[in-house]
Amino acid sequence: MAFSPCAVIPTYDNPDTVREVVELVREHVPVILVDDGSDAPGRAVVEAIGAEGLAQVHHRSQNGGKGAGVTTGFELARAAGYSHALQVDADGQHALEDIPAFLDAARAQPEALILGAPVYDDSAPTGRLVGRQITRFWTNIETYGRVIDDPMCGFRVYPVEAACALAPRCGQRMDFDIEIAVRLVWAGLPVVNLPTKVRYHADGVSHFHLVRDNLRISWMHSKLVLSSWLRLLTGR
Ligand SMILES: Nc1nc2c(ncn2[C@@H]2O[C@H](COP(=O)(O)OP(=O)(O)OP(=O)(O)O)[C@@H](O)[C@H]2O)c(=O)[nH]1
Ligand SMILES: [Mg+2]
């Protein structure tokens, strides 16, 4: 299949940032924007983006989580015939000037999963940095080595077919980014980790719930560690 990338952007209540993100991303690739049941202000911005033809817009009727939004985006990407999906957050935290480097890496190794490896500045909250170290400890165990630099960064490129096959089996909220990366490693995809700056804006919006999402992520790691041991024991 010829290399034909699009972007999949999940959004939930990002009225202040989503338009600028879409405008910058569409300079590189066509955009599929999945609104995951945003409240009126976020929904109105997404509707305007669709009406202006800046992106292919899909509205999910109910909030299902970041993973649910991305999964819907993968399905739309496959239906439209795209080979690769660049995933970018809608909150303006990613260094979109790095998009060409991400696309070049995917073009050079189309079978690979291209993962952003965040380079933080002083704006990053300590709690989030510690959480990432813990989840990285577990993904190293789950993947039998240091394959994934950062399993939580939402800036990455997926081969669409492989992503569509595994996405519905993954946790559909903030656990999604981690679980699909591990499962794609298990499926045999090579991983390319690309350093990229991540900023936390003073007035930024986060939907990451410290307790609820960390509990969900802990449960997911329990399942994945068990599965990784079973895979070793059974050779499957
Ligand atoms: N579809 C969907 N997208 C979501 C949901 N929650 C967050 N997102 C999107 O996922 C991206 C990242 O969300 P954030 O809340 O910033 O999560 P995060 O980047 O892991 O957390 P921080 O490190 O605190 O920024 C943004 O584009 C959000 O709009 C959701 O419930 N559904
Ligand atoms: Mg964020």
Side-chain angles (χ1 to χ4, degrees):
M1 187 183 198
F3 181 70
S4 63
C6 68
V8 166
I9 304 181
T11 181
Y12 175 54
D13 285 348
N14 303 114
D16 299 333
T17 51
V18 62
R19 172 179 282 273
E20 189 184 356
V21 171
V22 168
E23 284 176 349
L24 291 171
V25 173
R26 70 187 290 275
E27 289 176 12
H28 305 277
V29 280
V31 174
I32 295 171
L33 179 62
V34 182
D35 169 34
D36 195 27
S38 293
D39 287 340
R43 186 181 170 95
V45 177
V46 173
E47 279 171 353
I49 289 170
E52 291 167 44
L54 302 179
Q56 176 184 343
V57 165
H58 178 90
H59 292 279
R60 290 172 49 88
S61 53
Q62 275 189 349
N63 178 255
K66 181 181 184 184
V70 174
T71 302
T72 300
F74 288 157
E75 282 157 11
L76 293 169
R78 177 165 63 180
Y82 293 112
S83 66
H84 287 74
L86 171 84
Q87 181 189 319
V88 179
D89 288 351
D91 57 3
Q93 285 187 285
H94 294 146
L96 301 179
E97 62 273 18
D98 290 342
I99 289 177
F102 277 65
L103 294 176
D104 285 349
R107 192 181 291 107
Q109 233 179 309
E111 73 287 7
L113 171 64
I114 315 296
L115 294 180
V119 178
Y120 294 107
D121 58 20
D122 296 344
S123 62
T126 311
R128 306 290 281 117
L129 297 181
V130 171
R132 291 187 119 87
Q133 291 296 346
I134 295 171
T135 209
R136 200 157 62 158
F137 168 82
W138 289 114
T139 50
N140 285 344
I141 291 175
E142 290 149 12
T143 58
Y144 322 114
R146 294 187 181 182
V147 183
I148 297 171
D149 268 13
D150 184 291
M152 300 183 85
C153 182
F155 191 14
R156 35 177 73 179
V157 187
Y158 298 90
V160 167
E161 276 303 328
C164 280
L166 290 174
R169 294 180 53 190
C170 298
Q172 297 290 285
R173 292 203 170 264
M174 292 301 189
D175 40 2
F176 177 84
D177 284 344
I178 306 168
E179 185 165 1
I180 193 166
V182 170
R183 290 194 182 279
L184 286 170
V185 170
W186 288 351
L189 269 68
V191 173
V192 177
N193 298 290
L194 282 189
T196 182
K197 286 186 184 157
V198 175
R199 295 167 279 248
Y200 278 81
H201 304 291
D203 53 352
V205 174
S206 175
H207 299 292
F208 192 94
H209 294 263
L210 218 53
V211 176
R212 205 178 60 198
D213 282 313
N214 276 323
L215 279 176
R216 197 175 273 126
I217 287 170
S218 301
W219 170 238
M220 178 207 60
H221 281 308
S222 312
K223 287 188 298 178
L224 290 184
V225 167
L226 199 63
S227 300
S228 68
W229 289 341
L230 285 175
R231 287 168 56 84
L232 276 184
L233 284 173
T234 61
R236 294 173 61 201

